[in-house]
Amino acid sequence: MLPDDPLVRLATDPVTVTLTVDDRPARITVETRTSLADALRDELGLTGTHVACEQGVCGACTVEVDNEAVRACLLLAVQAQGAEVRTVEGLAAPDQPLHPIQQAFTEHHALQCGFCTPGLLMTVHHLLAERQGVDETEVRAVVSGHLCRCTGYQGIVDAVLHADRTWDRPGV
């Protein structure tokens, strides 16, 4: 393709995207080819969204978009126009106590190096925000979409089951 090809220009032309991130309005200008993960990290400084495989396999980049857990490396930032995005930074404010899921991960030693933790927290948040009374089989199925090389997963499963019992969520 030649540099003046309209397809090339479209991929690199800046686009302004308006969305809500962690309950705050945000306006970012990105190239149309920028992933949501890169936009969150580079444009908004929300580095809790980790980028690893960039193929949606590892789960490290999981965030919630309009209350659905998604791989932010597979979603273009322009696709999030008008969306509500929740990142791991939005689970608990810096001056607030940890979210019950974060607290359970801490208490049950469900993290070691911590690289996979933000994505796991967001996936678990999505699961427990919709359901109460999950069992070990269901938890294992949900976290199986995340690569964690440190924990052996038992601490993660224990933490999720604990958070399910202790998180007081109205309407669930």
Side-chain angles (χ1 to χ4, degrees):
M1 289 187 206
L2 300 173
D4 61 345
D5 185 316
L7 293 177
V8 173
R9 282 198 314 267
L10 287 176
T12 58
D13 283 349
V15 175
T16 300
V17 178
T18 305
L19 60 164
T20 303
V21 179
D22 298 332
D23 300 320
R24 294 185 310 251
R27 186 180 174 103
I28 56 176
T29 301
V30 295
E31 292 180 354
T32 56
R33 62 185 175 186
T34 303
S35 72
L36 179 59
D38 287 339
L40 291 170
R41 293 178 60 80
D42 300 339
E43 302 301 320
L44 298 176
L46 298 171
T47 57
T49 302
H50 292 169
V51 179
C53 73
E54 297 189 69
Q55 298 176 20
V57 175
C58 71
C61 67
T62 303
V63 298
E64 291 179 358
V65 176
D66 293 334
N67 298 314
E68 292 294 327
V70 301
R71 304 294 206 240
C73 72
L74 296 179
L75 189 70
L76 295 173
V78 296
Q79 291 175 286
Q81 170 63 37
E84 291 191 24
V85 177
R86 179 158 318 281
T87 69
V88 71
E89 288 94 344
L91 290 182
D95 59 341
Q96 298 294 316
L98 292 175
H99 186 281
I101 298 169
Q102 293 170 310
Q103 186 64 43
F105 267 60
T106 301
E107 291 172 8
H108 291 273
H109 310 288
L111 58 129
Q112 287 182 28
C113 83
F115 193 82
C116 67
T117 305
L120 276 161
L121 289 170
M122 296 312 298
T123 294
V124 169
H125 182 268
H126 178 294
L127 169 68
L128 298 183
E130 291 190 337
R131 274 190 34 56
Q132 193 165 10
V134 296
D135 63 25
E136 184 172 340
T137 302
E138 183 175 9
V139 172
R140 286 191 180 280
V142 168
V143 302
S144 71
H146 289 266
L147 295 179
C148 175
R149 296 197 168 134
C150 299
T151 67
Y153 294 94
Q154 188 58 51
I156 295 168
V157 172
D158 293 343
V160 175
L161 294 172
H162 179 84
D164 184 36
R165 290 189 306 272
T166 60
W167 181 18
D168 183 25
R169 21 201 210 279
V172 175

